[in-house]
Amino acid sequence: MNGLLMKRIVQFCLFLLLCCHSINAADMDLQIQLPDMKMMLPPVSPPQLQKEGMPLVAENETVNRYFEYIGKGAYEEALAFLMETEASALELMESGDPDGQLRQRAVVGGIMPTTRKGQISAYLLYLIGHTYFSLEKHQAAETAFLAALTPMPDFIRVHESLGLLYLRMERYKEAQRHLSHAAGLGLHTAQLFGALGYLNYQTENFWGAANAFQEALM
């Protein structure tokens, strides 16, 4: 009996060895062919919006000196200083830029591979517009701000300033568009929400006014 059992065990072991051998042989002949695949890159998200400006490299010295004037509220002196280097640009601002020449000269700023004579950065335009705004020269300020938005349509500070300018001029629809755009771009300041509250109050949107004033207080 023991001999018969031993024989069965041996036979079973041989069977397993044969099976393993067959599998190994089959593995050696097995070829895996992958289907043709086209590698698809995921869709690229839109580029980051450029919401803050920079002066051109050639404007750095001018901007630094300009800040010395506006930092102490000497706005007339600041414009007089700029007349030495940006006379044609200031003349276009004060005339309202009827032919769009200033908008054609406006550039993003920063380090640019090629810079042509007569170009002016959106950042410097913003500073000049702010100066005109402070002097209540509204047409010149509006022209400067709109020119700054030409190369940088999401310049967040320009939208805020332009909205405040239109609010002062009682052009409420345009003020709403620019102030709301500034908020949508991520600007959250007490001044912005205070302006939106006042604007909503003037247009009898009282719930909107209450919400905006609450945001300003927070």
Side-chain angles (χ1 to χ4, degrees), residues 42-204:
V44 179
S45 60
Q48 293 292 323
L49 303 177
Q50 188 164 355
K51 298 185 288 187
E52 297 292 353
M54 295 178 62
L56 289 165
V57 174
E59 295 172 341
N60 282 330
E61 184 177 352
T62 299
V63 168
N64 290 334
R65 290 191 60 189
Y66 192 69
F67 268 123
E68 294 177 6
Y69 290 103
I70 63 176
K72 56 186 178 182
Y75 299 115
E76 292 284 3
E77 290 88 338
L79 291 178
F81 162 69
L82 276 185
M83 285 296 292
E84 301 173 9
T85 56
E86 303 293 344
S88 61
L90 296 183
E91 290 172 2
L92 289 172
M93 292 176 206
E94 295 182 2
S95 68
D97 192 25
D99 300 324
Q101 296 180 38
L102 186 63
R103 293 192 294 273
Q104 294 175 15
R105 291 168 54 182
V107 293
V108 173
I111 300 175
M112 299 180 62
T114 56
T115 305
R116 297 194 302 273
K117 185 178 180 180
Q119 288 180 330
I120 182 169
S121 69
Y123 182 77
L124 184 54
L125 286 167
Y126 162 67
L127 293 181
I128 299 171
H130 175 73
T131 304
Y132 278 123
F133 189 8
S134 300
L135 293 171
E136 298 187 2
K137 297 183 178 182
H138 295 163
Q139 177 181 279
E142 179 186 16
T143 303
F145 290 145
L146 291 175
L149 289 178
T150 301
M152 290 184 60
D154 293 306
F155 197 158
I156 192 169
R157 297 291 177 179
V158 174
H159 281 291
E160 180 191 32
S161 297
L162 194 53
L164 294 172
L165 174 65
Y166 286 141
L167 187 60
R168 180 175 293 183
M169 298 170 70
E170 298 184 356
R171 293 164 60 176
Y172 296 133
K173 186 175 181 180
E174 292 161 293
Q176 177 76 45
R177 183 170 69 251
H178 288 284
L179 290 174
S180 298
H181 193 55
L185 288 170
L187 184 65
H188 290 83
T189 63
Q191 175 178 259
L192 175 63
F193 284 104
L196 283 169
Y198 178 78
L199 175 62
N200 286 326
Y201 177 78
Q202 291 296 323
T203 56
E204 299 185 355

